[in-house]
């Protein structure tokens, strides 16, 4: 962020107590903290924890994890429940944080969770082309290679 989001003035770095150097607008006399989106991605397991749900979206040929942006005012767990229900019609419980990482192409901080679905009978919405329950071993092979989803899944499954 080089320019003030409110007035367009070029930002300078200014010392803020305990925070170090923060971009500052001399016209607004305000600090301008970095602006980015927040999203969740979700490893959905079946009740016996031996299958993982992967989806295909937007006519892409590869499998990824269910994911979506956190709405303003929503907490991350609420987003996990909402996105999984919206995309594949499943109710999930035992939602545990797995990992997080900033993703620069979309300026988004991604928070990854693992959870248990109370059913394997998914219902696809229009945003999802395909969903499939894979064995743990197959999910490692089917997830999009070199993707953030793969990183999250491998960390969860403790794959090096
Ligand atoms: Zn300004």
């Amino acid at each position: 962020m080089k320019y003030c989001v409110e007035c367009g003035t070029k930002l300078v770095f200014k010392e803020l107590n305990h925070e170090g150097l923060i971009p500052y607008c001399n016209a607004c006399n305000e600090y301008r903290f970095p602006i980015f989106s927040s999203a969740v991605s979700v490893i959905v397991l079946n009740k016996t924890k031996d299958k993982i749900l992967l989806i295909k979206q937007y006519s892409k040929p590869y499998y990824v994890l269910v994911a979506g942006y956190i709405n303003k005012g929503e907490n991350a767990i609420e987003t996990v429940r909402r996105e999984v229900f919206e995309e594949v019609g499943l109710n999930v419980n035992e939602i545990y944080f797995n990992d997080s990482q900033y993703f620069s192409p979309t300026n988004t901080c991604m928070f990854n969770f693992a959870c248990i679905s109370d059913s394997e009978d998914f219902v696809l919405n229009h945003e999802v082309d395909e969903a499939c329950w894979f064995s743990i071993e197959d999910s490692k092979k089917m997830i999009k290679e070199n993707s953030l989803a793969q990183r999250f899944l491998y960390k969860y499954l403790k794959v090096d």
Side-chain angles (χ1 to χ4, degrees), residues 3-11 24-30 32:
Y3 299 94
C4 177
V5 291
E6 294 297 331
C7 74
T9 300
K10 199 169 199 310
L11 299 173
Y24 186 83
C25 176
N26 277 317
C28 300
N29 293 315
E30 298 265 11
R32 294 297 180 214

Side-chain angles (χ1 to χ4, degrees), residues 80-146:
V80 167
R81 291 186 191 283
R82 179 179 57 75
E83 283 292 337
V84 174
F85 190 77
E86 278 177 14
E87 294 194 356
V88 290
L90 295 172
N91 291 303
V92 294
N93 296 294
E94 298 179 55
I95 302 166
Y96 291 104
F97 175 73
N98 176 45
D99 198 11
S100 68
Q101 195 183 312
Y102 177 72
F103 186 63
S104 59
T106 57
N107 186 34
T108 301
C109 186
M110 298 287 301
F111 300 91
N112 180 252
F113 294 84
C115 60
I116 311 293
S117 173
D118 63 5
S119 162
E120 293 184 28
D121 299 325
F122 53 75
V123 181
L124 302 186
N125 89 350
H126 62 279
E127 286 178 33
V128 181
D129 303 326
E130 196 185 319
C132 191
W133 289 101
F134 290 104
S135 70
I136 303 297
E137 281 312 306
D138 285 347
S139 73
K140 293 181 202 168
K141 294 174 206 141
M142 298 308 291
I143 192 99
K144 186 187 178 194
E145 208 153 353
N146 299 316

